[in-house]
Amino acid sequence: MTMKFCSFASGSSGNCYLIKSEETAVLIDAGISGKRILAGLEETGTPREMVSAILVTHEHIDHVKSLPVMTKRIPGLQVYANEATWDQIDRPVPEERRELFETGEEFQIGDLTIRPFPVSHDAAEPVGFSIYGDGQQISVCTDSGFISDEIFEEIAEADLLLLEANHEKEMLLFGRYPYPLKQRILGDEGHLSNLHCGECLCRIVNEKPKRRMVLLGHLSHENNTPEVAMQAIINTLEEDRIFTGDDLQIEVAMRDQISDIYEL
Ligand SMILES: [Zn+2]
Ligand SMILES: [Zn+2]
């Protein structure tokens, strides 16, 4: 069995990722229009009835926007979130389509094992997800103001890691966002900066050497660009004498473009 990953969109205006094995497909978040999600399924050759779940990271609109329309479009699909998140989701999802998980406890969907882990963000009980299949690990970790040791352990051995590179600190500070919003983004429960993303990757490579694919995600439209994020992170890695190559490939998951299909 091989696992495949595709980002349909990543950023503050909407997030949605597809992970699939030969027999099971799940989405992480549904923060873009239903139309774009269905187009993504089509483009990746994923029959919609194959999609059995949407896993919800947290209740912010860029992650839950299309939950109602997706449950309508795909009759067999169930939506998974923890209890505190369900309490805050303001989109109508019929009771019988809701599933509950406990943060930190693994569960199974088809031949995929799902592990929700806590992240640090200003939402009720935000999580990242690691998905395991056939000895391989895919981890998605965005919307986290910092990477604690606990989060580090959850993501460090991922074969494919989508890690947040939200903003370049100077662009944010000199930009036009109001001061309280700047403080929110920079805080421990905000979003991960390019620098902190780069430092986390240094630690991952140094402590857990292996071959891995890294996708930079949840880039800010206002306070980052794909080029700035990539350069900032490569600079941080190179200061630590870490270079991209066969063992470490890095690409950007774009805000408004479907990514390649990554096959593990
Ligand atoms: Zn978000
Ligand atoms: Zn958020």
Side-chain angles (χ1 to χ4, degrees):
M1 160 191 156
T2 54
M3 280 202 294
K4 292 180 183 162
F5 179 91
C6 181
S7 167
F8 293 172
S10 184
S12 31
S13 48
N15 298 273
C16 185
Y17 310 108
L18 169 73
I19 289 139
K20 64 174 177 171
S21 64
E22 246 101 89
E23 55 185 67
T24 312
V26 299
L27 296 170
I28 295 182
D29 290 333
I32 51 174
S33 71
K35 200 173 154 194
R36 285 178 68 195
I37 297 174
L38 294 173
L41 293 176
E42 176 119 14
E43 213 165 306
T44 54
T46 313
R48 49 173 101 169
E49 56 283 0
M50 188 183 172
V51 183
S52 43
I54 299 177
L55 311 170
V56 180
T57 58
H58 64 295
E59 69 272 21
H60 291 161
I61 192 72
D62 56 320
H63 299 263
V64 303
K65 184 175 150 186
S66 289
L67 292 180
V69 60
M70 292 311 292
T71 53
K72 285 199 193 93
R73 294 281 178 281
I74 306 182
L77 174 149
Q78 296 292 102
V79 182
Y80 291 71
N82 57 39
E83 197 169 1
T85 301
W86 273 127
D87 284 346
Q88 295 299 321
I89 291 177
D90 64 356
R91 300 265 143 169
V93 177
E95 201 56 46
E96 68 276 11
R97 312 297 294 279
R98 297 175 179 219
E99 304 281 349
L100 209 55
F101 63 70
E102 295 277 343
T103 305
E105 282 182 19
E106 291 181 6
F107 56 97
Q108 199 74 25
I109 298 179
D111 54 0
L112 299 175
T113 303
I114 319 289
R115 183 178 165 78
F117 57 87
V119 294
S120 179
H121 191 54
D122 55 358
E125 193 180 322
V127 299
F129 289 105
S130 288
I131 310 224
Y132 303 86
D134 201 29
Q136 306 264 36
Q137 177 184 348
I138 294 174
S139 294
V140 169
C141 180
T142 69
D143 299 78
S144 196
F146 79 114
I147 301 296
S148 63
D149 289 346
E150 290 72 27
I151 300 175
F152 175 82
E153 291 301 329
E154 298 283 353
I155 64 176
E157 290 188 76
D159 301 280
L160 185 150
L161 169 63
L162 187 134
L163 185 61
E164 175 163 47
N166 179 257
H167 57 273
E168 182 65 21
K169 194 174 172 188
E170 276 65 34
M171 287 175 76
L172 176 70
L173 287 174
F174 293 123
R176 64 190 174 103
Y177 277 7
Y179 184 72
L181 180 56
K182 290 180 181 176
Q183 291 302 103
R184 199 209 120 208
I185 294 169
L186 289 170
D188 274 356
E189 295 197 335
H191 288 281
L192 202 66
S193 68
N194 292 339
L195 178 64
H196 290 149
C197 175
E199 287 173 349
C200 174
L201 291 176
C202 288
R203 187 175 167 203
I204 285 177
V205 170
N206 287 327
E207 291 186 23
K208 314 268 182 179
K210 70 186 284 187
R211 188 188 169 103
R212 53 168 62 82
M213 175 83 218
V214 173
L215 294 173
L216 309 177
H218 212 294
L219 269 67
S220 163
H221 182 47
E222 192 81 14
N223 305 310
N224 213 354
T225 71
E227 295 73 26
V228 166
M230 189 64 108
Q231 195 58 56
I233 282 152
I234 287 193
N235 289 348
T236 307
L237 288 164
E238 289 189 351
E239 274 171 40
D240 216 7
R241 306 209 51 74
I242 295 166
F243 301 95
T244 55
D246 279 353
D247 277 351
L248 177 65
Q249 295 181 53
I250 305 182
E251 291 179 15
V252 175
M254 305 299 260
R255 301 167 50 77
D256 46 12
Q257 241 167 270
I258 181 167
S259 75
D260 289 343
I261 301 171
Y262 299 93
E263 207 169 324
L264 297 181

